[in-house]
Amino acid sequence: MPRKGRRESGTMFYHVIVKGINNEKIYHQQREKVYFKKKILKYLKKYDVELYAYCIMSNHAHLIIKAELPVLSAFMAVVLAEYAVYYNFKHRRNGHVFQNRFVSECIETEAYYWNCLRYIHMNPVKANMVKEPVRYRYSSLVEYKMDTPGMIHANALIRYKDNFNDYKQFETFHKERHLEIFADVREEVMSQKKEAATLIAEQVFEEYPLQLFIQVFEEKEVKKVYISRLVKILKISKKEAEKICNAILNDIQNS
């Protein structure tokens, strides 16, 4: 079966995700994350590519890249190939390191750009690796705080300063909750959907004369409205909405 062609972004901005094969860890140690950063830096100098955000986790990595689509593909191919050779040699293994091709998600609007960047920077917090996103050493947030481009392009800082008064406002923005669902490993996508569904449930709770939050999931008519909103806002099937609803209810009952 032929591979599906990549969709081209009208803005040239892409959210890029690379995943370990079978969801395996591909950055076990700090030096492996450092090596991956070195490969990115090496080829940023050789390709017409601008990096605006990144976060290197244990079994996957996120990047926001601005480039022509063919250039993006060539850039990612050499970065991933060199890292795979290093990883296989280091761990005395053969075969694929990354899950299929990298994922590229088009970023078409300004709002989606910033929400995506926030999501990337908040990955280590959601994974309980750090309490504050800026404390994670392998993401671009520290470069924004220090106002010094290391991996990210100088244009990334210009864009940031055009939209935020200072770093404190930028930091506050990172703590805001949102409804967008971004491409990620399967477990993280479900986590995003539950988080967004919880926020929607809170909005429904505020609209109805309910005494307890759990009633959003138990009162027949209110639950019907809630499920309908999940389908519309999250763009999911009714079956998936009901599954998420039950999962949140189960969390509440067991808390």
Side-chain angles (χ1 to χ4, degrees), residues 179-202:
L179 294 175
E180 288 87 355
I181 307 298
F182 301 98
D184 208 323
V185 295
R186 183 180 302 174
E187 294 81 3
E188 283 301 318
V189 170
M190 177 53 69
S191 177
Q192 289 182 69
K193 289 179 179 178
K194 284 180 66 178
E195 183 178 345
T198 300
L199 181 56
I200 294 169
E202 290 173 2

Side-chain angles (χ1 to χ4, degrees), residues 193-242:
K193 289 179 179 178
K194 284 180 66 178
E195 183 178 345
T198 300
L199 181 56
I200 294 169
E202 290 173 2
Q203 294 170 351
V204 172
F205 179 64
E206 291 295 324
E207 295 173 18
Y208 285 81
L210 305 174
Q211 297 298 315
L212 300 172
F213 181 57
I214 198 171
Q215 289 177 274
V216 173
F217 309 91
E218 294 181 331
E219 296 286 342
K220 185 176 179 179
E221 292 304 317
V222 179
K223 181 180 178 180
K224 184 177 179 180
V225 171
Y226 175 56
I227 293 294
S228 177
R229 288 195 189 178
L230 292 185
V231 170
K232 181 178 180 180
I233 296 173
L234 300 184
K235 296 180 174 58
I236 57 178
S237 68
K238 183 178 179 182
K239 182 178 180 180
E240 185 175 6
E242 290 174 344

Side-chain angles (χ1 to χ4, degrees), residues 72 83 86 89 113 126-127 134 148 155 168 178 249-250:
L72 171 66
Y83 183 80
Y86 160 81
F89 176 78
Y113 170 88
K126 292 181 179 180
V134 74
T148 305
N155 287 339
K168 186 174 182 180
H178 59 86
L249 175 58
N250 185 63

